[in-house]
Amino acid sequence: MKTIALLPAGSVSDEAAKHLFAGEDRVEWKHHRLIADVFQSTVNGISDYSVIPIENTIEGSVSLHMDWLVHEVDLPMQAEWVYPSIQNLISRRSELLNDAGELDFTRIKRVISHPVAMAQCLQFLREHMPNVETEHVSSTAEAVRIVRDHPGEGIAAIGTRIAAANNGLDLLATEITDHDNNYTRFMLVGSEPYTAQKSDRIKTSILITLPEDYPGALHQVLSAFAWRRINLSRIESRPTKKKLGNYYFYIEIEMSLDSVLLPAALEEIEAIGCSIRVLGCYPSFTYEQLL
């Protein structure tokens, strides 16, 4: 049996994890309120894998989660997949009706959700509740739970249909994200390779730290990939947290470490004094592949 650590039941992480493991019967879910607890569950051997959202169509990288992967833990990436992030406005409809029996958004005093989910719905909030107070919490599922536990306070949450159903709440408005193609990318991290399903797309994620006072180092790094025609699907600079102005580069490569070209490119990059850390070589799945 595989044990999977993830954010609370009813969160997008919960939906996405069950999408990846849909064909497996022997899976135990360990839900945690905080992403730190999700990571630590696998670090401490309580779970085999952690499910980590790392990027969203609208908001880009989930910086906190990336920092955990880079600075706090050493958990190899074992698989990635994408899942639609469909958000809804959730509360008790009966508490928000006006004298005519119609839903009145002005009766909502506060909207709470995870910061990434909140950012996905800003146009809806500006249009329907331009002056509402907003508050960030650890997950969309946690936001829905807070609404459940605080009746009569004019609070609404942004979250999933499952979370609303699990907590006996109503969907005040459905699919309120600003864009229809809103997807979140998830990473499965842990010590064991993921072998349940195969993909013809293999990716490798690395961190590169450039040598100091080396003009043109980044150009040489990218050239090592370019002349070999190795495709980079993502490159992002992040602070090393050691010195102001000192950055590492997170790079996703559309190639396996088992290839001939990629190890040679990494050797060339190390030869100019760069530090390289491999975060993982893993299968990548589209949403449709896992249906």
Side-chain angles (χ1 to χ4, degrees), residues 2 7 61 78 87 92 106 119 130 134 142 145 155 162 174-175 206 219 228 232 240 253 281 283:
K2 297 298 182 187
L7 288 170
S61 292
Q78 301 295 357
Q87 305 296 349
R92 292 177 177 82
T106 65
T134 59
E142 175 70 6
R145 185 195 64 78
I155 308 174
I162 291 176
T174 59
E175 300 184 14
I206 64 173
H219 174 75
R228 292 178 173 87
L232 308 182
T240 62
I253 305 161
C281 181

Side-chain angles (χ1 to χ4, degrees), residues 241-284:
K241 300 184 184 293
K242 296 179 180 178
K243 180 181 177 182
L244 186 64
N246 197 342
Y247 295 86
Y248 67 80
F249 291 86
Y250 171 75
I251 299 177
E252 291 181 359
I253 305 161
E254 297 274 355
M255 187 173 285
S256 170
L257 278 173
D258 293 333
S259 67
V260 175
L261 292 176
L262 182 53
L266 299 185
E267 287 180 10
E268 181 179 325
I269 292 167
E270 286 180 323
I272 64 171
C274 292
S275 173
I276 298 177
R277 176 184 166 193
V278 177
L279 296 178
C281 181
Y282 49 86
S284 175

Side-chain angles (χ1 to χ4, degrees), residues 168-186:
L169 298 174
D170 302 310
L171 297 172
L172 306 183
T174 59
E175 300 184 14
I176 65 171
T177 46
D178 296 340
H179 301 278
D180 293 334
N181 64 336
N182 186 31
Y183 284 82
T184 296
R185 190 153 63 100
F186 291 86

Side-chain angles (χ1 to χ4, degrees), residues 21-68:
F21 287 94
E24 297 193 39
D25 297 327
R26 295 175 58 79
V27 176
E28 180 183 0
W29 308 106
K30 288 193 173 294
H31 297 284
H32 299 276
R33 190 171 65 86
L34 301 176
I35 197 68
D37 296 330
V38 174
F39 276 112
Q40 290 298 338
S41 175
T42 303
V43 168
N44 295 328
I46 300 169
S47 57
D48 298 303
Y49 299 109
S50 289
V51 172
I52 309 298
I54 65 166
E55 187 180 13
N56 176 259
T57 303
I58 298 173
E59 273 296 279
S61 292
V62 184
S63 298
L64 172 64
H65 301 181
M66 289 300 299
D67 283 348
W68 263 92

Side-chain angles (χ1 to χ4, degrees), residues 215-242:
L218 179 58
H219 174 75
Q220 286 191 258
V221 166
L222 297 179
S223 295
F225 297 116
W227 76 262
R228 292 178 173 87
R229 297 191 175 182
I230 297 174
N231 187 44
L232 308 182
S233 58
R234 181 181 176 192
I235 180 169
E236 178 181 352
S237 64
R238 297 280 301 156
T240 62
K241 300 184 184 293
K242 296 179 180 178

